[in-house]
Amino acid sequence: MTFSKFTRGSVGAVLAVALTFPALSITAASGATNYGTVKNLAAAGGINKLIAACQKEGQLNVIALPHYWANYGDMIEGFKAAYGVKVDEANPEGSSQDEIDAANTNKGTSRSPDVYDIGIAIADKYAGTGTFAPYKVKLWKYLTGAAATSPTGEYTPDYTGTLTIGYDGSLGTITKLDDLLLPKFKGKIALNGDPMGSSTGLNGVFMINKALGGTFDDVSKAVAFFKKLKDLGNFINVNPTEATIASGQTPVVIDNGYVQAGVQKQMAAAGKSWKMFTPALVGSPYNMAISAWAPHPACGRLWLEYALGETGAKIFAIGGATPALWVWLVKTGRAPAEGIAAIGKSKVAATKASADQSSAAREYLKTAWPAAVGS
Amino acid sequence: MTQVTDPRAGSATSSAGSRHWRSKSAYLGVLPFLLFSGLFLLYPTYNVILGAFKDNENNFSFFALGEAFNSDITRHAFKNSLVLSLWTALAGSVLGGLFAWALVTGKKKGFFYRFSIALSSVLAQFGGVMLTFAFLATFGFNGVVSTLAMKVMPSSFLADSAWLYGLNGLIVVYTFFQIPLMVLVFLPTIENLRPQWREASDSLGGNSREYWTKIGIPVLTPSFAGAALLLFVNSFSAYATAATLINLTSFLTPLQIATSLSSEVGGANPAEAKALSFFMIVLVTFVMALYALLRRRVTKWEANG
Amino acid sequence: MRRTWKIQTWRRFLIGFVGLYLMVPLYSMFDFSTKPFLIADSGRNLRSWRIIPSQPDLGIAVLRSMITAGIVMLLILFLIVPTVIWVQLKLPKLVRPLELLCLLPLAIPAIVIVVGIAPLYRWISINLSESPITLAGVYSMLILPYTYRSLSAALDAVDIHTLAEAAQTLGASTFRMISGVIMPTIRTGIINGSFIAIALVLGEFTISNILNFKTFQVVIAQIGRTSGNVAVSVSLASIIFVLVLLLLVPATKRRQAVLDVDLA
C-alpha cells in the first residue's frame, strides 16, 4: 500500500504546526508584586494597579459557572467588558468537588482554574489545606457571614438563594405542597441533581422536608413524600436541563431560585409563564475562593473585587440570588432598584444545613432514597 | 486446509538464525505498540488499580474494595448494569448484525452503503445529554411520537411516557448507539462471507437453512461473539446518557462511580470509585475469558467438522 | 427467484425498522430546534441554526480536532494495524492478551481514565505542549476497542498465514508483505476502524472537558449554553458535520491487490 507523496509530506507539516499551536499561552510573570500572595487590595497597590496587572495577565480561568446560574452569564460578560480580559470557562456543569479536582488535575498548567464558586461543605473540607489563597476584598467587612465563614478570608460567601418549585404556568397555580400529588402532574416533576451527589438535590429534599414539618436532622418525612410522588408516577428521575424545560419534558422542577429566575426570563421571552412556589425557605449559600496556584492571580483577585462588590451584587440580585452584600446595600440605601424588584429587601431568613447535617442526611438517604424513588 | 502452520517454524526463505531466537525476535515487533500503550493505557490503568488498593489517606488497604463489595447499593447497581448491558448487547448485536447483512446484500460501494457506514460511525459515538434529550423529545411527555400515539392509539404504552423513565427506557436508548457500533465492527466479517460459498452450497443442492447452519453461522459466530462482547462492555461503562435519564446514584455502577468522584455532599470517595472500576476490569477480564473459551471450542468444532 | 424476493422483503423491512429507530430521535431533535420559541418567531425557523457559524472559537476547535483525528489515523495505520497483523501472524499466544488489552479502555469509564491519566497530561502540558492535540495519545488508546474489533473481524475471514507464506515465497520483505499484501485484504476492517476513530476523536467530550482542552465537542457544548434550542441545533450540526466529513474521506482506492483472488 503506497502513500501518496501528499500524505507523507503533509504529515510532517501538520505535526510541526500542530504542536506549536498552543491552546492557551502560558502567561508571563507579572511585575514586581507577586500577586499569588497578595491578601487584600492595599497589598496589591490599589484597584488600578490590580486592573493593570490583570490586563497584563490577559485572561481569567473560571470553572463550573453555568450562564443561567445566579446570572453568571451577565457577570462574566460584564467582567470581560469592564476590563477587556478573556475569560476561559471550563466545565460549566461541574460540581464543587469537580472544581477542586480540576485545579489538582491541571496544577501547574495555564488551564488550572483561578477562582472557585463552591458550596460550604467542599469549602470546609479543603480549608487550611493550602488549596485556597486567602484574600479579603475591599468590602469584606460588609459581607454577611464573611467573618464567621472564614476569618482569614480563605473563602468568602458570595450569594445565597432559596430552593423553590418552578413550574409551567399553564398547569395552573400551586398553592400547597399536596397539590403536587394531583393527577395533572403525572410524569412531570423532576429534581435537579441526585441528593447523594448534588447539594442542590439535597437542599431540595431539605426544603420539602421542612415544609412537611421536619428538621435537618431527620429527612424521613421528605423521603416518604417523594415515595408517594414516585408511586403515583408524578415524579420522574430525569435530570432537568434547559432543553427539557423548554421542550416541555420537565414542566415542574425543584431547583435553586436563582436558576429558576433565569428560566422565568427565557420562558417570558417565549411568551410562556413560569411560576414559582416556595413551600419552605431552605438556603443554599455559596462561597468564592482563589486558587493557591492560580495561573492568573491578579485576575483572580480582580474577579473577587468585581463579583463581591456593588456591580457584582447588582448582577446577582437581578439573577434572583441574594448577594452577601445585600443587607449592607439595603441598609445604606445603595441597593439598585432592579435588584430590589427581583429579590425584595428581606434579609435572608432561610435556614441552611450544616456540613454535618448534610453528611448525616446523605448517609440516611443512601439507602432510603433509592428505596423511595429508585428502580 | 490441511497444511500445518506453525508460525514458530518460520518460513523457508527467511534469514538464517537459530529457530529459538528467530521466534523471540518476533516479540520485538510489538515493542513500539507496547511502549505507546504502556504510556497511555497501562499507566492510567495501573493508577486506577493501585488506587483501588488504597484508602482515602493513601495507605495500602483493602478497605475500599471490601466496602464496595459488601455494599447493597453496589450489588444493586452492578446487577442493573449487568442486566442493561446484556439486553442492549443482545438487541444491538442482533439488530445491527441483521442490518449489516441487509447492507451487504445490497449494492456495495453504492451511496447508501457509504452513507450507512459514515452515519453508523457518527451515531455509535453519539450519547450523553443530547441522546437522552432526543428520546425524551420523541417518547417523553409532549414528545413527537407520544403525542402522535395519544391521537392514534391512546391506550398503547407509547402514549404514556412512563416506560421511558426506567430500565426499559434506558435499554431502548442505549440500543440507539449499540446498533451502529455493531454494524461497523461486524460488517467486515459479513462482507467476507463470499457469495461463491452460497453458490457452491446451492449448486450442491443445499437449501437456505443448510447453508446458514453449516457455513454461514459457523463462519460468523466468532466475530459475532466478539462484537457482542464489545457491545456488552461498551454499554457497561457508558455514563453520561444514563446520568441524564435516571439521575440516581444507586442505579448503575458508572453512576455510583461518578458520585464517588464528584459528590458535593460528603459522598466523595475516590478510593471507592477506583475500587468499583477495578471490579469492572475484573468483570471484563472474566467475560473475555469466557469468550476465549468459546472461540477455542468453535475452532475445535470447525476442525473436527 | 423466490429466494431473492424473500431476501428483498427482509432487507427492506430491516432497513426500514433500523432506519426509523435511528432517524426518528434525530428528527425529534431537529423538530425541537426549529420550533418557534420567542414571541417574535412567527413559525418554524432556523434561528437557532443561524447562530452557529458566527461563533468565534468554533473554527479553531474544528481545525484542532481534525488535526488530532489525523494523527490518530496515522497511529492506526502505522502502529496499530501492523501490530495486530504481526501478533496474528507471528505471536498467536498473544492474540487473546492483546484482545484484552484492546478492550481495557472500554472497561474503565472515561471519568476514571481521566483520574488515571491526569498526572501524565499535567507533565505533558508543563514540559511539552499545552495544545489539545496532545490528546491524540490517549484518544488512540480509546479507539482501540472499536478499531481492534473491526480489524479482528476482517482478519478472521482471511487466511493471512497462507497469504504471508505466499508473499514470502515470492520474495516480499516483511514490510511489503504487511503493507502491500495483507492490509489491502482487510481494507474494510481498516476503513471501518478508521471511521469510528475519526468519529470518536471528533465526538469525545468527557476527557477533554475535565482536562479543560478546547476540543470540538467542548466548544459545541459551550455554544449550546445560549439556550435549549441552540444546544440541540448545535449538537445536530456537529453530527451532520462529522457525517459529511466521513463521506468526503475517500474509501481510498488502492490499486487492486494482486491477491484479490479466492484463496480459500
Side-chain angles (χ1 to χ4, degrees):
Chain A
M1 186 154 69
T2 57
F3 287 98
S4 71
K5 289 201 193 80
F6 173 73
T7 323
R8 269 180 290 176
S10 58
V11 164
V14 158
L15 276 175
V17 168
L19 287 172
T20 53
F21 208 129
L24 309 158
S25 54
I26 311 245
T27 58
S30 2
T33 328
N34 177 11
Y35 283 95
T37 52
V38 159
K39 291 211 167 76
N40 52 58
L41 203 55
I47 190 73
N48 290 319
K49 274 243 176 89
L50 191 62
I51 295 176
C54 173
Q55 285 170 333
K56 196 150 171 230
E57 284 174 353
Q59 180 170 303
L60 173 74
N61 292 353
V62 300
I63 184 169
L65 298 181
H67 284 199
Y68 54 80
W69 181 284
N71 209 5
Y72 263 117
D74 282 354
M75 187 76 76
I76 294 172
E77 294 304 316
F79 187 81
K80 279 203 270 200
Y83 305 114
V85 189
K86 249 180 55 140
V87 175
D88 178 79
E89 304 173 51
N91 200 2
E93 304 299 322
S95 69
S96 304
Q97 180 69 53
D98 289 336
E99 295 186 40
I100 311 284
D101 288 342
N104 280 314
T105 301
N106 292 317
K107 189 171 183 174
T109 72
S110 70
R111 303 188 314 275
S112 191
D114 291 314
V115 290
Y116 307 115
D117 187 25
I118 48 184
I120 195 71
I122 298 293
D124 282 347
K125 181 173 167 182
Y126 289 98
T129 59
T131 314
F132 308 124
Y135 182 80
K136 293 189 186 175
V137 292
K138 188 167 112 185
L139 300 175
W140 191 77
K141 51 186 185 293
Y142 303 123
L143 295 170
T144 317
T149 309
S150 169
T152 52
E154 263 196 299
Y155 40 94
T156 320
D158 43 11
Y159 57 85
T160 70
T162 54
L163 269 292
T164 178
I165 305 176
Y167 59 99
D168 189 347
S170 65
L171 288 168
T173 307
I174 300 179
T175 50
K176 54 189 193 302
L177 195 58
D178 280 345
D179 282 351
L180 291 179
L181 297 165
L182 294 171
K184 70 176 173 188
F185 289 112
K186 187 141 189 278
K188 298 195 176 68
I189 307 178
L191 172 69
N192 189 355
D194 179 28
M196 275 172 302
S198 153
S199 57
T200 305
L202 187 59
N203 281 328
V205 173
F206 279 142
M207 172 184 73
I208 303 283
N209 194 53
K210 188 170 169 191
L212 292 167
T215 66
F216 284 122
D217 293 308
D218 175 15
V219 292
S220 51
K221 289 201 170 79
V223 172
F225 185 75
F226 274 105
K227 181 162 172 37
K228 253 195 272 181
L229 282 179
K230 175 80 186 194
D231 289 339
L232 284 170
N234 288 15
F235 181 75
I236 53 180
N237 294 99
V238 175
N239 200 26
T241 64
E242 263 187 280
T244 59
I245 293 176
S247 71
Q249 309 300 321
T250 51
V252 183
V253 177
I254 303 174
D255 202 348
N256 283 303
Y258 41 76
V259 170
Q260 309 266 25
V263 173
Q264 225 171 19
K265 282 200 202 91
Q266 279 222 329
M267 295 298 254
K272 301 191 203 154
S273 83
W274 185 258
K275 302 193 189 147
M276 296 207 259
F277 170 63
T278 313
L281 287 173
V282 168
S284 51
Y286 274 80
N287 307 274
M288 258 190 214
I290 305 177
S291 167
W293 50 87
H296 315 99
C299 284
R301 285 154 177 79
L302 186 60
W303 171 259
L304 253 67
E305 293 289 348
Y306 182 78
L308 297 174
E310 286 193 52
T311 336
K314 179 172 169 184
I315 297 177
F316 278 138
I318 294 176
T322 308
L325 202 57
W326 196 242
V327 173
W328 180 73
L329 285 177
V330 169
K331 199 163 76 171
T332 55
R334 299 157 85 107
E338 306 98 314
I340 298 179
I343 57 175
K345 283 190 179 176
S346 56
K347 303 190 187 135
V348 173
T351 52
K352 57 185 184 0
S354 71
D356 289 332
Q357 284 169 324
S358 293
S359 293
R362 191 197 162 272
E363 271 307 304
Y364 171 71
L365 287 172
K366 220 163 139 177
T367 40
W369 186 252
V373 306
S375 36
Chain B
M1 193 176 51
T2 51
Q3 65 224 76
V4 171
T5 42
D6 181 355
R8 282 177 306 147
S11 106
T13 55
S14 72
S15 47
S18 88
R19 194 181 294 172
H20 174 78
W21 284 113
R22 227 186 293 146
S23 70
K24 287 296 174 249
S25 74
Y27 283 92
L28 279 177
V30 295
L31 203 61
F33 180 77
L34 213 57
L35 286 173
F36 196 85
S37 65
L39 194 61
F40 286 104
L41 178 60
L42 297 173
Y43 167 72
T45 310
Y46 164 76
N47 273 347
V48 171
I49 295 183
L50 193 69
F53 287 89
K54 292 199 174 154
D55 61 20
N56 281 323
E57 274 86 47
N58 239 333
N59 308 317
F60 182 82
S61 131
F62 286 108
F63 178 72
L65 287 170
E67 274 269 305
F69 190 75
N70 291 323
S71 148
D72 279 334
I73 296 180
T74 306
R75 291 185 185 186
H76 178 79
F78 213 77
K79 184 177 72 97
N80 275 355
S81 284
L82 272 176
V83 170
L84 174 71
S85 304
L86 278 170
W87 277 111
T88 56
L90 193 67
S93 55
V94 167
L95 288 171
L98 287 172
F99 189 78
W101 169 79
L103 264 186
V104 155
T105 50
K107 204 167 72 165
K108 264 184 156 179
K109 311 309 176 197
F111 180 73
F112 179 69
Y113 181 85
R114 286 174 50 220
F115 179 79
S116 300
I117 296 193
L119 189 64
S120 297
S121 312
V122 183
L123 294 184
Q125 284 303 312
F126 183 54
V129 179
M130 270 306 134
L131 177 63
T132 308
F133 176 78
F135 270 85
L136 284 175
T138 312
F139 295 108
F141 176 69
N142 225 10
V144 170
V145 170
S146 45
T147 8
L148 199 69
M150 270 215 279
K151 287 192 205 132
V152 176
M153 320 181 268
S155 55
S156 72
F157 77 99
L158 283 176
D160 172 14
S161 321
W163 65 272
L164 186 62
Y165 303 119
L167 192 59
N168 293 331
L170 204 55
I171 291 176
V172 171
V173 177
Y174 270 32
T175 308
F176 181 89
F177 56 76
Q178 298 281 60
I179 294 178
L181 183 60
M182 181 67 180
V183 170
L184 275 175
V185 298
F186 192 57
L187 204 57
T189 314
I190 212 170
E191 272 194 347
N192 279 304
L193 211 58
R194 295 161 206 263
Q196 296 93 313
W197 296 348
R198 186 69 201 255
E199 285 163 22
S201 156
D202 286 343
S203 67
L204 287 170
N207 63 22
S208 209
R209 199 174 70 87
E210 281 176 346
Y211 168 70
W212 281 111
T213 51
K214 290 216 163 63
I215 301 176
I217 292 184
V219 171
L220 293 178
T221 304
S223 286
F224 187 86
L229 169 68
L230 181 71
L231 258 58
F232 175 82
V233 181
N234 190 35
S235 170
F236 205 96
S237 67
Y239 160 70
T241 315
T244 318
L245 188 59
I246 302 187
N247 193 10
L248 205 57
T249 298
S250 58
F251 190 66
L252 294 174
T253 305
L255 294 176
Q256 220 192 334
I257 293 178
T259 306
S260 305
L261 287 174
S262 1
S263 171
E264 314 178 284
V265 291
N269 190 352
E272 186 185 36
K274 292 179 188 152
L276 289 171
S277 305
F278 176 71
F279 288 139
M280 283 176 63
I281 297 175
V282 168
L283 173 76
V284 171
T285 314
F286 177 69
V287 181
M288 251 272 0
L290 283 179
Y291 162 75
L293 217 68
L294 167 76
R295 293 238 9 193
R296 228 181 298 155
R297 283 276 161 84
V298 169
T299 326
K300 274 206 206 109
W301 173 45
E302 273 182 334
N304 293 337
Chain C
M1 225 187 348
R2 242 189 88 226
R3 180 161 65 80
T4 325
W5 174 82
K6 223 168 80 166
I7 290 182
Q8 283 305 324
T9 338
W10 265 116
R11 199 171 164 264
R12 289 208 192 98
F13 171 72
L14 274 168
I15 292 180
F17 179 73
V18 172
L20 274 179
Y21 199 122
L22 298 178
M23 286 295 130
V24 170
L26 294 178
Y27 169 73
S28 305
M29 285 175 73
F30 180 72
D31 170 70
F32 171 69
S33 72
T34 55
K35 267 202 177 117
F37 194 66
L38 300 183
I39 308 177
D41 296 338
S42 51
R44 298 233 163 216
N45 63 78
L46 288 174
R47 191 180 35 84
S48 59
W49 288 83
R50 264 183 253 135
I51 220 177
I52 298 171
S54 59
Q55 302 298 315
D57 301 321
L58 194 57
I60 303 180
V62 169
L63 186 64
R64 276 202 206 108
S65 287
M66 282 175 59
I67 294 176
T68 313
I71 296 179
V72 172
M73 279 289 314
L74 292 175
L75 284 166
I76 291 180
L77 289 172
F78 287 105
L79 184 64
I80 296 175
V81 173
T83 305
V84 174
I85 294 176
W86 187 259
V87 167
Q88 279 257 350
L89 212 48
K90 305 267 192 196
L91 304 163
K93 286 216 185 91
L94 287 187
V95 171
R96 295 290 159 238
L98 180 66
E99 204 164 350
L100 181 62
L101 185 81
C102 289
L103 214 47
L104 211 54
L106 211 48
I108 312 174
I111 43 181
V112 182
I113 292 181
V114 172
V115 173
I117 208 164
L120 177 64
Y121 270 95
R122 192 159 71 231
W123 184 90
I124 291 179
S125 293
I126 297 176
N127 295 298
L128 288 182
S129 160
E130 283 224 41
S131 167
I133 295 167
T134 53
L135 284 171
V138 70
Y139 282 174
S140 55
M141 293 295 109
L142 292 181
I143 52 115
L144 271 183
Y146 312 105
T147 307
Y148 176 85
R149 180 51 50 201
S150 196
L151 292 173
S152 167
L155 284 169
D156 273 344
V158 173
D159 181 5
I160 56 170
H161 292 291
T162 314
L163 274 178
E165 289 275 337
Q168 291 202 308
T169 317
L170 289 169
S173 69
T174 318
F175 175 77
R176 185 78 204 282
M177 167 186 74
I178 290 185
S179 68
V181 171
I182 298 184
M183 279 174 88
T185 51
I186 52 169
R187 201 167 72 207
T188 317
I190 297 178
I191 290 174
N192 284 18
S194 307
F195 270 28
I196 200 170
I198 294 176
L200 188 144
V201 171
L202 289 169
E204 202 282 325
F205 175 72
T206 310
I207 294 183
S208 41
N209 186 38
I210 297 183
L211 293 177
N212 196 15
F213 283 115
K214 300 291 180 223
T215 59
F216 183 50
Q217 284 300 323
V218 168
V219 172
I220 290 277
Q222 215 170 278
I223 297 173
R225 277 185 286 142
T226 318
S227 78
N229 292 55
V230 177
V232 175
S233 69
V234 84
S235 177
L236 265 180
S238 82
I239 290 179
I240 295 174
F241 175 76
V242 182
L243 181 63
V244 169
L245 185 73
L246 289 176
L247 281 173
L248 289 177
V249 169
T252 39
K253 273 248 167 266
R254 309 265 172 237
R255 50 183 169 78
Q256 284 295 331
V258 172
L259 293 152
D260 191 15
V261 169
D262 193 346
L263 280 177

